[in-house]
Amino acid sequence: VSTQSTGARGPGYVLAADLKWDMSTTENLYCLAIVEDKELYSIRDLTRAHLPLLREVRESCLEAIREQFKVPRSLVRVYLHYQPAYYRLHIHFAHLRYSVGAPVIGKSVSLLDVMQNLEMDDGYYKKATLCYYIKDGHALSETLDKHGLIQRE
């Protein structure tokens, strides 16, 4: 996460430019909203009680991106990773044309999908089976493999 703040801040989060973005090429826009609640590590920790925070983060960050960088909300992907790169809940905001920050099947979950799943079932992410992909050689891959928990085809 970059120390360059976009200036967007709300109750419970801060929006910051990711190191992958130079903050000038709008088609490479890539920001992270980092949630301040240290008890929220990943989508597994979310419940219906977090919906107001998730809505606020989505709406205010999309508005801040539109105002500051002139990128309309229709051109911004908003998603979370599972498994995350680090365990502090954070939400990705990336330009649709930015391929480096593009959501990957088996790694990314749309924030709108997360919110809809929580509206339907308060404990959705506590009990859902979430498939994800990790590369061989990754520390998590080695740990899971050692315990016979990786399915190889």
Side-chain angles (χ1 to χ4, degrees), residues 83 132 134 138-150 152:
Q83 295 278 342
Y132 56 92
I134 51 176
H138 187 281
L140 181 58
S141 172
E142 292 173 3
T143 301
L144 294 173
D145 197 29
K146 185 169 67 174
H147 290 91
L149 298 172
I150 291 185
R152 299 190 188 276

Coordinates of all heavy atoms in Angstrom, one line a residue, residues 83 132 134 138-150 152:
Q83 N -7.9 -15.6 -1.1 CA -7.2 -15.2 0.1 C -6.6 -13.8 -0.2 O -6.0 -13.6 -1.3 CB -6.1 -16.2 0.4 CG -6.5 -17.5 0.8 CD -6.9 -17.6 2.3 OE1 -6.6 -16.7 3.1 NE2 -7.7 -18.6 2.6
Y132 N -10.0 -20.9 -4.1 CA -9.0 -19.9 -4.5 C -7.8 -20.6 -5.0 O -7.6 -21.8 -4.8 CB -8.6 -19.0 -3.3 CG -8.2 -19.8 -2.1 CD1 -6.8 -20.0 -1.9 CD2 -9.0 -20.2 -1.1 CE1 -6.4 -20.7 -0.8 CE2 -8.6 -20.9 0.0 CZ -7.3 -21.1 0.2 OH -6.8 -21.8 1.3
I134 N -3.6 -20.6 -5.6 CA -2.3 -20.1 -5.1 C -1.2 -20.8 -5.9 O -1.4 -21.9 -6.4 CB -2.1 -20.3 -3.6 CG1 -2.3 -21.7 -3.2 CG2 -2.9 -19.3 -2.8 CD1 -2.1 -22.0 -1.7
H138 N 4.4 -20.9 -3.0 CA 3.9 -19.9 -2.0 C 3.9 -20.6 -0.7 O 3.6 -21.8 -0.5 CB 2.5 -19.5 -2.5 CG 1.9 -18.4 -1.7 ND1 1.4 -18.6 -0.4 CD2 1.8 -17.1 -2.0 CE1 1.0 -17.4 0.0 NE2 1.2 -16.5 -0.9
A139 N 4.2 -19.8 0.4 CA 4.2 -20.4 1.7 C 2.9 -21.1 2.1 O 3.0 -22.1 2.7 CB 4.6 -19.3 2.7
L140 N 1.8 -20.5 1.8 CA 0.5 -21.1 2.1 C 0.4 -22.4 1.3 O -0.1 -23.4 1.8 CB -0.6 -20.2 1.7 CG -2.1 -20.7 2.0 CD1 -2.2 -21.1 3.5 CD2 -3.1 -19.6 1.7
S141 N 0.8 -22.4 0.0 CA 0.7 -23.7 -0.8 C 1.5 -24.8 -0.1 O 1.1 -25.9 0.0 CB 1.3 -23.4 -2.2 OG 1.4 -24.5 -2.9
E142 N 2.7 -24.5 0.3 CA 3.6 -25.5 1.0 C 3.0 -26.0 2.2 O 3.0 -27.2 2.5 CB 5.0 -24.9 1.2 CG 5.7 -24.6 -0.1 CD 7.0 -23.9 0.2 OE1 7.4 -23.6 1.3 OE2 7.7 -23.6 -0.9
T143 N 2.4 -25.1 3.1 CA 1.7 -25.6 4.3 C 0.5 -26.5 4.0 O 0.4 -27.5 4.6 CB 1.3 -24.3 5.1 OG1 2.4 -23.6 5.4 CG2 0.6 -24.8 6.4
L144 N -0.3 -26.0 3.1 CA -1.5 -26.8 2.7 C -1.1 -28.2 2.1 O -1.7 -29.2 2.4 CB -2.4 -26.1 1.8 CG -3.1 -24.8 2.3 CD1 -3.8 -24.0 1.2 CD2 -4.0 -25.2 3.5
D145 N -0.1 -28.2 1.3 CA 0.4 -29.4 0.6 C 0.9 -30.4 1.7 O 0.7 -31.6 1.6 CB 1.5 -29.1 -0.4 CG 1.7 -30.2 -1.4 OD1 0.8 -31.0 -1.6 OD2 2.9 -30.3 -1.9
K146 N 1.7 -29.9 2.7 CA 2.2 -30.7 3.7 C 1.1 -31.4 4.5 O 1.3 -32.5 5.0 CB 3.1 -29.8 4.7 CG 3.8 -30.6 5.7 CD 4.8 -29.7 6.5 CE 4.2 -28.7 7.3 NZ 5.1 -27.9 8.1
H147 N 0.0 -30.8 4.6 CA -1.2 -31.4 5.3 C -2.2 -32.1 4.4 O -3.2 -32.5 4.8 CB -1.9 -30.3 6.1 CG -1.1 -29.8 7.3 ND1 -0.2 -28.7 7.2 CD2 -0.9 -30.3 8.6 CE1 0.4 -28.5 8.3 NE2 0.0 -29.4 9.2
G148 N -1.8 -32.3 3.1 CA -2.6 -33.0 2.2 C -3.9 -32.3 1.8 O -4.9 -32.9 1.5
L149 N -3.9 -31.0 1.8 CA -5.1 -30.2 1.6 C -5.2 -29.6 0.2 O -6.1 -28.8 0.0 CB -5.3 -29.1 2.7 CG -5.4 -29.7 4.1 CD1 -5.3 -28.5 5.1 CD2 -6.7 -30.5 4.3
I150 N -4.3 -29.9 -0.7 CA -4.3 -29.3 -2.0 C -4.8 -30.4 -3.0 O -4.3 -31.5 -3.0 CB -2.9 -28.7 -2.4 CG1 -2.6 -27.5 -1.6 CG2 -2.9 -28.4 -3.9 CD1 -1.3 -26.8 -1.9
R152 N -4.7 -31.6 -6.7 CA -4.0 -31.4 -7.9 C -4.7 -32.2 -9.0 O -5.1 -33.3 -8.7 CB -2.6 -31.8 -7.7 CG -1.8 -31.0 -6.7 CD -0.4 -31.3 -6.7 NE 0.3 -30.7 -5.6 CZ 0.7 -29.4 -5.5 NH1 0.6 -28.7 -6.6 NH2 1.3 -29.0 -4.5

